[in-house]
Amino acid sequence: MAGFPQTTEEQSEGSVTANACIHDAFIRLTLEIFMTLLLPHHDGSPLYVSNAAPDLGDIVTVRLRVPQGYGPLHAVRTRSNPDNEPQWTDAVMTGSSDGWDWWDAPVTVGNRRHGYRWLLVHEDGRVEWLNQAGIHDIETRDTDDFALVARPAPPSWMTDAVMYQVFPDRFARSARADERPTPEWAIPAAWDEPVDPVLPGRSQQFYGGDLDGIVDKLDHLVGLGVNLLYLTPVFPARSNHRYDASSFLSIDPVVGGDDAYVRLIEAAHARGIRVIGDLTLNHSGDAHEWFRSALGSPGAPTEEFYYFTDDDNTTYESWLGTPTLPKFNWASARLRDVFVTDADSVVARWLKPPFSTDGWRIDVANMTGRLGDVDLNAEVRSLLRETMHAINPDALLVGEITNDASGDLQGDGWHGAMTYPSFTRPLWGWLAEPRNETYLTAQGEETNEPWFFGQPIGGIPRFTARQFVDAVVRFTAGIPWRVRLGNMQPLDTHDTGRFATHAPDAVIPVAVGLSMTLPGIPVVFAGDEFGVEGIDGELSRTPMPWGSENHPDVAARLALYRSLVELRRRHPVLGSGGLRWLHVDDETIIFVRESVDESVLVLATRGDADVSLAVGALADGDARRLVGDAVLDRTADGAHRLVATGPAFATWSLPGVAVPAKAG
C-alpha cells in the first residue's frame, strides 16, 4: 500500500521519495572485476558462518574462501566495530579444497547487530577490504559490513517458503457469499466484469470474494506447490482493499466472519500451507471504533491513539493526508498495550487459538511510528517482534518497506520486507518491454506512460543485466544475510501493475526463475500463474479466471509456475545456501547457490549466451540439468561453458562445496 496511491483512501499527490544511493561508484568496477577472475568470497550462509543466531558474548567462526594463487597474502584479518570501536582478529588458513584456500577467524559478538568485514594484506603491501558490496582497494563503510544478529532466529520454515498472495475480494466467491447482503459502501460487479480503475469504483467495486471461496480453491495452491498463503486485510472496512479497518478484533462478515477465518486456516494447515495476515500499524480507517470515540471528543480514552491537531479533536494527521486513514500515535503506552502487548491484544488475538495464524505482513511498516521529528519505528517493530516471539516463536514478521529498506532491516524487528528496489524494480527494468497502451487513472484521465511503481520518471527504465545485478547488490549490501533471506521477491503485488503486462512471454521463465533462485522468499501474486495482466496497481486486482485452466496459453503458464516452484521446494540450497555471482554482461547473468550438500548453478539471459567461466569457478563433478534448454559442458582447459539461445533460464545441480574442517 505505501508509496503507491491506488484507491480513494490511498490517493495522494505527495512527492515520491528518491532512493538513497548507498554505494559509491566502485560497485560497478567491482562487478566488472569479479566477472573476469576468481575473487575471495564470504556471505552469511552456513558455509561461512558457524552460528547465524548467536547471543551476545558468543564467539562465532567466520570463514573466507580465497582462490589459490590469489595474492600471495601476508595476512587475513577481520575488522569488527563493537560499540563503534574497531576490533581485529587474525585468521588462520585451515586447508585447501578444489582450488580454494579457506581461512577461519573468531568474531566475538559485541552488539545485537555485530558488523564485520575482511581485511586482506598482500605480500607486496596492497590492502583489500571485503564486505557485502564486494571487494575494494579503499576502506569501506560500516553500513555495508557483513553482520551477525544476536536476536532469536527467524522461523526455521522461512527459507523453505514459497508465498502465494491473495486479494480476497478477487480470488474466489463461495456459494455462501450469495447469502450475504452487499455492504452499503459497495458497487456490485459480476465476476467477469472488468475492473473499474476510476474513482469511486477503484475502491468500492465489489466482486464478493470470500474466505470460504479460498477454502474451495486450496487444492489449486497445493497443485502449484506453494506453502505460505498471505491474505491482504480481512478486517471490517468500507473498501474492497480493507486497509481502512473499522475494527481489528473481528473478521469482516462480508468475507465470512471469524468462523470462516478459522475454517480457512485449519484447511490450509491440513494441507501443509501456513497463513499470514495483513495488519496496518500506521493507521486505522476513520470508521474505526477507537477513532470515532475520540473524534470531536476531547479527553476521550482513545484520544491519545491518534494525532489530533486542534483542541476540539476535529483535525488530525493521516496517511499521506488522506482523511479516511487517521494515523496512529505510538507514543501512547495504552495503544501499545491494546494493539501489541496485552494478553488479548490485536496482535495476540489472531496468533492464538482458535485462529493460530502463522505471522503478519505489516502494511506501511516504513511509516509506522514516524511523523516529522518523531521516530518510534524501531521501538514499535522491536515490541511487535518480542510479543510475537513470546506467543509463537515460529511466527513470521515481514514489513512493507517499498523503497530502500536497509535502515530498518537490521534484525531488531522485521524478519524481512516486502520491498521493491532490491529485486522487483530492477527486474522490470531489465526484462520489461513497455507497450505504451492507453489506460485510465483514478481521476479518469487517459495516459499511455507505462506505470512504474509510482515513480514520475517517464515510464519503465531500460536496464541491462549488469544494471540488474548492480541494483541487487546495492540494495542488499546493507542488510544482514539472515534478514535478506526473509525479503519477499515478487514480480508484482496488489500494489503494482502485473509484470506480464509489460513483458514478452519469452522472458516470463527468466523472471519467475530468478524469483525462485535468488536469496529471499519467492512470491506468486494470485493470477500470475494464469497469465493475468493489469497495467497499474489497481487493474492488477483482477478476479481470478477460474475455468480457463485448460486454455493452451494458461495451461503452459501454469506448468511453468509448477515446475519452478517445484525447483525451489526440491532444492533447499535455493532457500538457505550461499550466493556467488560467476558472470554478468549486458544480456546474461550466471550465479551459483551453494551448500555442503548441493550446489545449484543458474543461468538467466535475455539474449543468446556463450560463456566460459573462470577455471575453478565450480567444483568438479557431474552436473544434472534441472530446468531449461541451455547446455553446460567443459572447454579444453577444464572451464565450464554455458550456451543458450535466449531468452532462457536454466539450472543444474552440482556437488556440494568441499570444505576443510574448521579451525580448533
Side-chain angles (χ1 to χ4, degrees), residues 112-152:
R112 293 294 178 187
R113 179 206 179 276
H114 185 98
Y116 64 96
R117 69 189 69 154
W118 292 93
L119 170 69
L120 288 76
V121 182
H122 290 250
E123 291 283 5
D124 63 6
R126 289 187 301 115
V127 172
E128 292 179 307
W129 305 85
L130 179 66
N131 64 7
Q132 291 197 130
I135 195 159
H136 315 280
D137 59 6
I138 59 173
E139 196 168 345
T140 58
R141 299 182 301 161
D142 294 347
T143 188
D144 296 331
D145 279 351
F146 303 103
L148 300 166
V149 178
R151 297 183 187 276

Side-chain angles (χ1 to χ4, degrees), residues 240-555:
N240 52 36
H241 56 78
R242 296 188 177 86
Y243 284 103
D244 56 329
S246 59
S247 174
F248 295 112
L249 297 177
S250 64
I251 301 301
D252 195 339
V254 173
V255 297
D258 290 7
D259 290 344
Y261 199 39
V262 172
R263 286 194 295 271
L264 170 58
I265 295 167
E266 289 180 346
H269 285 174
R271 291 166 171 80
I273 299 171
R274 291 180 170 86
V275 181
I276 65 171
D278 199 333
L279 188 61
T280 304
L281 268 65
N282 180 70
H283 56 261
S284 71
D286 65 341
H288 197 286
E289 53 207 359
W290 298 340
F291 183 73
R292 300 307 300 175
S293 69
L295 181 67
S297 300
T302 58
E303 174 185 52
E304 65 182 72
F305 289 12
Y306 299 91
Y307 288 100
F308 288 103
T309 56
D310 69 333
D311 293 339
D312 297 326
N313 285 10
T314 58
T315 59
Y316 48 89
E317 298 287 349
S318 59
W319 180 72
L320 298 181
T322 307
T324 52
L325 299 177
K327 184 176 176 66
F328 285 128
N329 179 2
W330 282 96
S332 167
R334 183 58 186 149
L335 176 64
R336 297 185 183 200
D337 289 343
V338 300
F339 214 131
V340 180
T341 59
D342 282 354
D344 58 351
S345 70
V346 170
V347 168
R349 171 177 172 78
W350 304 104
L351 293 175
K352 294 178 179 179
F355 307 103
S356 301
T357 60
D358 299 289
W360 291 109
R361 178 264 194 189
I362 303 301
D363 183 58
V364 201
N366 51 298
M367 294 181 72
T368 296
R370 289 179 168 135
L371 182 65
D373 61 356
V374 174
D375 190 346
L376 303 172
N377 191 273
E379 293 181 32
V380 176
R381 66 184 186 244
S382 297
L383 191 66
L384 181 61
R385 171 79 168 270
E386 292 166 6
T387 299
M388 290 177 60
H389 186 80
I391 297 169
N392 178 8
D394 221 23
L396 180 69
L397 177 61
V398 293
E400 182 194 26
I401 308 172
T402 55
N403 296 301
D404 179 12
S406 57
D408 291 349
L409 286 181
Q410 296 302 319
D412 60 344
W414 323 117
H415 290 125
M418 175 188 276
T419 183
Y420 299 107
S422 60
F423 176 75
T424 312
R425 289 208 290 256
L427 186 81
W428 280 45
W430 175 31
L431 298 178
E433 289 184 6
R435 303 176 191 170
N436 298 101
E437 295 178 355
T438 299
Y439 63 100
L440 295 177
T441 68
Q443 290 73 34
E445 299 169 351
E446 288 191 350
T447 181
N448 65 355
E449 180 178 299
W451 182 93
F452 189 68
F453 300 85
Q455 296 190 1
I457 60 174
I460 301 172
R462 304 299 295 148
F463 288 171
T464 63
R466 197 184 311 274
Q467 288 172 303
F468 168 77
V469 174
D470 285 350
V472 171
V473 172
R474 171 173 294 174
F475 285 99
T476 59
I479 301 171
W481 175 264
R482 87 172 201 197
V483 182
R484 177 183 180 181
L485 297 182
N487 277 355
M488 296 165 58
Q489 295 201 141
L491 304 187
D492 41 50
T493 71
H494 68 296
D495 274 337
T496 80
R498 296 270 185 175
F499 176 74
T501 303
H502 303 285
D505 288 347
V507 305
I508 300 297
V510 181
V512 181
L514 288 171
S515 75
M516 298 291 167
T517 54
L518 284 170
I521 300 175
V523 180
V524 180
F525 178 30
D528 283 349
E529 76 275 27
F530 283 79
V532 166
E533 296 189 4
I535 205 161
D536 68 2
E538 181 63 33
L539 291 168
S540 71
R541 303 174 184 183
T542 305
M544 290 286 285
W546 301 115
S548 66
E549 290 86 343
N550 293 326
H551 186 282
D553 291 343
V554 174

Side-chain angles (χ1 to χ4, degrees), residues 566-648:
E566 181 183 29
L567 171 71
R568 172 67 177 231
R569 296 287 308 281
R570 282 186 175 271
H571 299 275
V573 68
L574 296 176
S576 58
L579 167 69
R580 272 195 304 131
W581 302 102
L582 301 180
H583 173 85
V584 171
D585 59 40
D586 284 348
E587 296 284 351
T588 303
I589 65 175
I590 300 171
F591 60 90
V592 64
R593 302 295 307 279
E594 298 175 308
S595 72
V596 295
D597 299 316
E598 183 186 27
S599 299
V600 172
L601 176 66
V602 178
L603 174 145
T605 184
R606 184 184 175 95
D608 297 341
D610 188 342
V611 176
S612 294
L613 302 177
V615 175
L618 297 171
D620 288 333
D622 293 336
R624 176 170 57 93
R625 186 162 55 85
L626 302 173
V627 299
D629 295 326
V631 174
L632 174 65
D633 58 19
R634 305 295 288 270
T635 63
D637 63 357
H640 288 84
R641 180 186 181 213
L642 297 91
V643 180
T645 300

Side-chain angles (χ1 to χ4, degrees), residues 200-224:
R202 182 169 278 248
S203 64
Q204 294 175 294
Q205 191 177 26
F206 177 75
Y207 289 87
D210 63 347
L211 298 176
D212 286 308
I214 301 174
V215 173
D216 293 342
K217 299 298 184 181
L218 281 177
D219 288 343
H220 170 74
L221 275 65
V222 173
L224 200 60

